[in-house]
Amino acid sequence: MATPGVIVIGSGPAGVSAAEAFRTHDDVRSVRILTEDPDPPYARPPLSKDYLRGDADDVALHPPQWFRDRSIEVVHGATLEHIDLAGCRVVAGGTSFPYAALVLACGARPTPLPVPGGDRALQLRSLADAIRPRRAGAQASSAVVIGAGFIGCEVAASLALQGVTVTLAAPDTVPQQQRLGAESGKRLLGLLNAAGVRYVGGVAVEAIDGRAVIFDNGVALDTDLVLAATGVVPNSEAAQAAGLSVEQSRIVVGADMRTSADGVFAAGDVAWAFNATAGRHLVVEHWQDAIDQGTVAGAAAVGQSSNWDGVPGFWSTIGDTTVGETLIAAGRPAPVPLD
């Protein structure tokens, strides 16, 4: 029987970078990525921008040959069901897989819109999710996007640039006022307006009834397309059931991405990771930080000394403008100039 190697749960940026880092330091033991996603590993940032607008079709992280050249096996349709810490096994897709090291890069899933008719709103997280709004956006004359986080802003701007009449609705008076402050929110609002988006702040959705989105101020908007960008839920249930330390619905890890169990690591959106530079645990939910954490996890799984110490932050493209934010050691978000 072959010696067990690393099992990586999740085919997003954290999972793929973990697999790559492990293989870089160990060219003998097996590297296997288990994912519930039916599609080959892909980049998510284009889904709300170029892909949504129909300007890009190829969003693959790497061509298939890249994985073959590195002897990295990707198993699709393998939803994580159980983690056996004592037996060093995971059950996914009905199959039991032994491991010498385990990297949990399970990611997160969209938060359903918790109102009557909320299941009628489209969501955007996976490539499969993106197909529906892409097709609908090509045919729609109007759209309502609920939620003004960066995904909501990106989707709204992308649809508007296609000629769709877009209303972006959120509780904040200006986009992301609570997170970034009023001044940065005003700049984001300017970018949205420049793309042709109408922003409606200070409102919440009460229901979706047929084609109508009903707000708590009594206004009802008739629309062709509704998309909810209202946050995510980390996929940490199996980890918690196995007894791993979980806080804020995320797996607690140190700067080396080690969990509370020997030989088990976590990275990306599912992790509540300690950043050595900030000196505290952070939730970032950004592509580059997921890559960085995955690289640390994969190296640590081989026994290499590595820590997540880069200054975390994120970038977003709204219309034709790129904006960014960094998280500094003082513990407060510091927006990069948005103009």
Side-chain angles (χ1 to χ4, degrees):
M1 181 179 292
T3 302
V6 67
I7 293 289
V8 178
I9 306 295
S11 59
V16 173
S17 63
E20 181 180 13
F22 188 94
R23 176 55 76 222
T24 297
H25 298 287
D26 186 329
D27 59 3
V28 176
R29 288 183 291 175
S30 64
V31 179
R32 181 177 284 141
I33 296 174
L34 309 181
T35 176
E36 63 182 0
D37 203 307
D39 295 297
Y42 52 85
R44 281 198 174 92
L47 300 184
S48 56
K49 299 183 280 290
D50 305 56
Y51 184 85
L52 181 61
R53 296 192 299 267
D55 294 335
D57 291 316
D58 183 6
V59 293
L61 272 179
H62 301 291
Q65 189 62 42
W66 186 92
F67 294 92
R68 290 194 291 268
D69 288 345
R70 290 159 180 78
S71 298
I72 296 174
E73 181 185 3
V74 182
V75 181
H76 298 280
T79 301
L80 178 63
E81 299 162 20
H82 177 67
I83 302 170
D84 177 3
L85 296 177
C88 293
R89 287 182 171 273
V90 297
V91 177
T95 301
S96 178
F97 298 89
Y99 65 80
L102 175 64
V103 178
L104 299 171
C106 320
R109 59 190 182 275
T111 304
L113 188 63
V115 300
D119 57 339
R120 300 185 184 186
L122 301 181
Q123 295 179 315
L124 183 58
R125 181 69 179 178
S126 67
L127 180 56
D129 290 338
I131 293 173
R132 291 182 66 193
R134 173 171 163 160
R135 291 175 178 170
Q139 303 295 323
S141 61
S142 62
V144 173
V145 177
I146 304 164
F150 280 118
I151 295 298
C153 289
E154 291 168 1
V155 167
S158 292
L159 291 172
L161 290 174
Q162 290 179 269
V164 179
T165 300
V166 181
T167 299
L168 175 61
D172 286 345
T173 304
V174 293
Q176 301 195 51
Q177 181 174 354
Q178 256 191 331
R179 183 180 195 181
L180 301 179
E183 189 59 35
S184 293
K186 289 176 184 177
R187 294 179 182 177
L188 286 175
L189 179 59
L191 297 177
L192 290 166
N193 291 160
V197 176
R198 174 191 176 222
Y199 181 76
V200 178
V203 298
V205 175
E206 284 195 337
I208 299 176
D209 185 5
R211 289 170 48 91
V213 179
I214 303 169
F215 296 97
D216 59 357
N217 61 2
V219 173
L221 287 181
D222 192 64
T223 187
D224 298 325
L225 167 63
V226 182
L227 187 142
T230 49
V232 296
V233 179
N235 295 318
S236 59
E237 291 85 354
Q240 188 163 22
L244 294 177
S245 178
V246 173
E247 292 187 29
Q248 301 184 26
S249 299
R250 287 176 164 83
I251 304 168
V252 180
V253 296
D256 56 2
M257 302 299 120
R258 294 179 185 274
T259 70
S260 55
D262 290 341
V264 182
F265 307 82
D269 289 355
V270 78
W272 193 40
F274 188 87
N275 180 268
T277 298
R280 63 192 177 99
H281 285 82
L282 295 173
V283 174
V284 182
E285 296 180 349
H286 177 55
W287 184 262
Q288 185 57 56
D289 290 293
I291 293 174
D292 295 344
Q293 290 179 8
T295 299
V296 170
V302 183
Q304 297 292 316
S305 178
S306 186
N307 284 308
W308 181 44
D309 56 9
V311 176
F314 55 82
W315 298 92
S316 173
T317 300
I318 299 172
D320 297 323
T321 304
T322 298
V323 300
E325 176 188 8
T326 60
L327 299 173
I328 59 177
R332 293 184 57 83
V336 174
L338 303 177
D339 51 4

